[in-house]
Amino acid sequence: MCPGSPLSIAVESRVIVATLGQDQAFGCFAASTADGNFSFNAPAGQDVLVEAVSGTNLSALELQSPCRMNPQGCIATTVPGRAWQRYSGLTAGQSYSVHAGTNASTAMMMTPINLGVTFRGIPPLTTSAVTGNEACATARLIPTTGGVFTGNTTMMGADSSAPAFGGGAAASCQGCNTGVGREAVYRLNLTARTRVRAKLNGSTGTFDPVLYVRQGAMCTNHPGGGGAGGILFCADDYYGQNAAFDRVLDPGTYWFFVDDCVPGLNGMGRGGAYSLEVIT
């Protein structure tokens, strides 16, 4: 019920799914079987990061103010995992409601299924337009504070790839032929163990964004990279065709490749306009 269960900063608020109904539809999540409302007051001078999770089920969230009105930033997972979204420009001290949902069964089970929501304030991210970063030597440095980076790979080279139809670390990109997708390169240097969230948006009918990561001092398997290197992990189709990951990374250098998941073994080089959001 509105305004919803009050949230404390960085403390997950949980409700048993079996006690919920489906009261309000999501514009981005027709599969929702149960939803709930949670509330917080926006902190001053900060962006707000909101997460919703429901075990191994799909989840969704959107922000409302007042409760049940003016929804914004609706986002839903297309694979099991946390739905997370950053909201900027909120009015300090104003009450906002998080409308969260899940496709979990509402039947009472021996082990209850929970719908959990968390919010926290984070330093505002800066948005930068990036060009020319199509090779390791020109990789754009991601600040350790993160950021949002916009660009377009349409005219870039198609000279790096995750294993086509591969398994192992690249299993989530199985079915992609990134070898014919045009890519941009980013570098992140970490001096401490850090939780990193990244979201790659930009999907269209002819551009299916995929994000894969290599680790090491050298940007391997790419022109000027110094040899063939493996994929640490690959992210694809987390929010529809858009890619995302949420990982704890050890200290070191990481290379982020913004690429295109081209279906099939053949095809012309593809690319498109994208937005890469990195939160540390």
Side-chain angles (χ1 to χ4, degrees), residues 40-131:
F40 67 88
N41 292 328
Q46 293 186 303
D47 290 351
V48 171
L49 179 65
V50 182
E51 300 176 81
V53 64
S54 182
T56 58
N57 306 286
L58 306 183
S59 53
L61 62 84
E62 63 185 1
L63 205 63
Q64 302 174 344
S65 184
C67 183
R68 292 186 175 271
M69 295 183 65
N70 306 313
Q72 61 170 298
C74 188
I75 196 163
T77 61
T78 45
V79 294
R82 292 178 179 269
W84 53 270
Q85 180 77 301
R86 178 183 61 92
Y87 298 94
S88 61
L90 302 186
T91 302
Q94 182 170 314
S95 177
Y96 290 86
S97 289
V98 179
H99 179 216
T102 175
N103 72 339
S105 171
T106 56
M108 186 62 74
M109 300 180 180
M110 292 294 293
T111 302
I113 300 173
N114 292 313
L115 173 62
V117 171
T118 308
F119 99 101
R120 70 194 72 217
I122 63 173
L125 297 187
T126 299
T127 299
S128 304
V130 181
T131 59

Side-chain angles (χ1 to χ4, degrees), residues 142-144 188-194 196 249-254 280:
I142 300 173
T144 55
L188 175 65
N189 299 323
L190 297 177
T191 59
R193 190 169 167 82
T194 304
V196 178
L249 301 179
D250 290 325
T253 299
Y254 296 86
T280 58

Side-chain angles (χ1 to χ4, degrees), residues 26-276:
F26 288 88
C28 64
F29 190 46
S32 183
T33 57
D35 65 339
N37 293 96
F38 305 79
S39 64
F40 67 88
N41 292 328
Q46 293 186 303
D47 290 351
V48 171
L49 179 65
V50 182
E51 300 176 81
V53 64
S54 182
T56 58
N57 306 286
L58 306 183
S59 53
L61 62 84
E62 63 185 1
L63 205 63
Q64 302 174 344
S65 184
C67 183
R68 292 186 175 271
M69 295 183 65
N70 306 313
Q72 61 170 298
C74 188
I75 196 163
T77 61
T78 45
V79 294
R82 292 178 179 269
W84 53 270
Q85 180 77 301
R86 178 183 61 92
Y87 298 94
S88 61
L90 302 186
T91 302
Q94 182 170 314
S95 177
Y96 290 86
S97 289
V98 179
H99 179 216
T102 175
N103 72 339
S105 171
T106 56
M108 186 62 74
M109 300 180 180
M110 292 294 293
T111 302
I113 300 173
N114 292 313
L115 173 62
V117 171
T118 308
F119 99 101
R120 70 194 72 217
I122 63 173
L125 297 187
T126 299
T127 299
S128 304
V130 181
T131 59
N133 58 327
E134 60 182 298
C136 292
T138 56
R140 175 63 179 259
L141 180 65
I142 300 173
T144 55
T145 52
V148 180
F149 308 92
T150 61
N152 194 316
T153 61
T154 302
M155 300 304 294
M156 292 186 172
D159 42 26
S160 179
S161 66
F165 310 106
S172 64
C173 294
Q174 189 169 354
C176 295
N177 184 10
T178 54
V180 296
R182 303 177 186 276
E183 72 279 334
V185 191
Y186 290 84
R187 185 177 86 250
L188 175 65
N189 299 323
L190 297 177
T191 59
R193 190 169 167 82
T194 304
R195 184 176 181 182
V196 178
R197 296 177 179 87
K199 185 183 298 180
L200 177 61
N201 292 326
S203 67
T204 65
T206 57
F207 179 45
D208 180 358
V210 61
L211 180 64
Y212 49 92
V213 177
R214 293 187 169 98
Q215 180 183 10
M218 305 198 69
C219 179
T220 53
N221 198 26
H222 192 274
I231 304 297
L232 181 64
F233 60 86
C234 191
D236 185 39
D237 294 350
Y238 194 87
Y239 296 115
Q241 283 194 313
N242 291 313
F245 72 80
D246 181 350
R247 297 229 177 183
V248 176
L249 301 179
D250 290 325
T253 299
Y254 296 86
W255 305 86
F256 291 29
F257 291 81
V258 172
D259 212 325
D260 189 352
C261 179
V262 182
L265 291 173
N266 301 302
M268 299 295 291
R270 300 196 325 181
Y274 68 87
S275 172
L276 174 64

